[in-house]
Amino acid sequence: MTTVLITGIEPFESDPTNPSWDIAQALDGTQVDGAVIVARQLPCVFGVANERLVEAIEDTSPTLVFALGLATGRTEISVERVAINVIDARIPDNAGNQPVDTPVVTDGPAAYFSTLPIKAIVQTLRKAGVPAGVSQSAGTYNCNHLFYGLMHHIATRAPHVRGGFIHVPTTPELAARHAGRPSLSIDTQIKGIRLAVHTALATQADLKVTGGAVH
Ligand code: PCA
């Protein structure tokens, strides 16, 4: 049976939960179009997260990998286009490390593109009433590092696997702890990620529709 690996990240900064893991957990063991979803939680720790991710891929032999993370402040499900080979941490990770301007992989390429059909995913989600968009930057913190590590592993050791990264907004419950934060209900987020899996399973070549940004 086809396996889809979905990873979420443990809570970080001052939040008690991380919706990326809540979504992954909710989908764990469920099926989409005959494929089974397997969820794994990753630590918000530089290096260790990428080691765990590679272990999870080797353990579960997935066809597709969706790595999820929280992007507080985002208003919609953000399908990331590109991972860059740099870490510039604004805050320490959960082990107290705060690398600044270090590569994710020494001597690795500057960047990798997602191999998920990012435009088709955004279009499907919007048609289903789930706010979504292409994002041109996954930041320079733990999630970009995880995304780069995923794509580097795929490029060098698992070329038959397709994968990418989706940043999710915060939930109303987490947003209520801080003033003025946009949020999206966890049920809408779960629906969006299920639809993203469905779209990736059904779409080999991405749509040529704009998802660009002027700045
Ligand atoms: N989001 C952070 C790290 C963990 C997470 O869920 C990020 O976007 O880098």
Side-chain angles (χ1 to χ4, degrees), residues 8-12 18-21 43-44 46 68-72 74 138-145 165 167-168:
I9 304 178
E10 66 184 4
F12 70 106
N18 188 327
S20 69
W21 173 237
C44 186
F46 290 108
L68 309 180
L70 167 65
T72 302
R74 296 268 175 104
T140 57
Y141 190 53
N142 208 264
C143 288
N144 171 72
H145 134 280
F165 197 94
H167 261 125
V168 297

Side-chain angles (χ1 to χ4, degrees), residues 53 57 65 67 145-155 163-165:
L53 174 65
I57 293 171
V65 182
H145 134 280
L146 186 62
F147 184 17
Y148 188 94
L150 168 64
M151 300 320 297
H152 185 72
H153 177 74
I154 288 175
F165 197 94

Side-chain angles (χ1 to χ4, degrees), residues 3-27:
T3 299
V4 178
L5 174 64
I6 300 187
T7 62
I9 304 178
E10 66 184 4
F12 70 106
E13 214 165 1
S14 55
D15 282 340
T17 57
N18 188 327
S20 69
W21 173 237
D22 298 340
I23 297 164
Q25 215 175 7
L27 294 173

Side-chain angles (χ1 to χ4, degrees), residues 101-125:
D101 293 350
T102 62
V104 181
V105 175
T106 306
D107 299 328
Y112 285 109
F113 290 115
S114 172
T115 50
L116 298 176
I118 59 172
K119 306 288 183 66
I121 290 172
V122 168
Q123 191 177 81
T124 305
L125 266 60

